[in-house]
Amino acid sequence: MPTPVSVAGYSHVAIAVTDIEAARTFYTEMFGFKELRRPDFGFPGMWLQVGDLQLHFIETDEMPTPGKGFPHFAFYIPTEDFHATVRALAEAGVAVAEPQSRDDWGTIVWQTFLTDPAGNVIELTNV
């Protein structure tokens, strides 16, 4: 069995909703979560601060069937370990998507996706 990679913690959980405005009102007014800036991914969504973590929302016309990409959770991998972690997973036979980067207002964000044996989507990110 390969040596396990090092995960520093959770980054965020992402959920699907059919009405982003209803979700915004519910989570910000009922729970007091603070809305964060979100990059334009070309589809509606929002990010909320929940303590030290984040809750991400993706708006969809209908709720997806579980296991088809949503929901997903994200593991935090420190930037200095990110590419080595992706390499180690690939070398162990895990199908890991090609890592992508983006600039979030001066912070370079790395991310990639993989699935567990049951089809649950896992994101690896350095933020």
Side-chain angles (χ1 to χ4, degrees):
M1 172 157 268
T3 303
V5 298
S6 177
V7 174
Y10 283 101
S11 169
H12 65 269
V13 173
I15 62 173
V17 296
T18 55
D19 184 338
I20 200 72
E21 291 308 319
R24 178 177 285 112
T25 298
F26 179 77
Y27 284 95
T28 60
E29 292 183 12
M30 305 298 337
F31 292 101
F33 297 160
K34 177 184 171 199
E35 189 163 0
L36 301 170
R37 285 197 314 175
R38 176 183 177 264
D40 181 3
F41 292 112
F43 53 87
M46 74 175 165
W47 292 356
L48 299 179
Q49 187 76 40
V50 183
D52 292 336
L53 303 175
Q54 295 179 13
L55 183 56
H56 291 186
F57 296 79
I58 294 124
E59 187 175 58
T60 183
D61 291 333
E62 62 182 61
M63 294 301 287
T65 303
K68 300 293 184 193
F70 292 103
H72 76 263
F73 57 92
F75 288 141
Y76 167 67
I77 310 292
T79 302
E80 61 271 14
D81 298 332
F82 187 84
H83 293 287
T85 298
V86 172
R87 243 187 336 274
L89 289 166
E91 289 170 0
V94 176
V96 182
E98 185 68 29
Q100 303 294 313
S101 68
R102 67 176 189 272
D103 185 332
D104 282 5
W105 308 282
T107 299
I108 301 302
V109 176
W110 283 97
Q111 70 181 148
T112 189
F113 293 88
L114 58 124
T115 57
D116 71 10
N120 294 301
V121 177
I122 302 166
E123 177 183 349
L124 303 179
T125 183
N126 68 321
V127 298

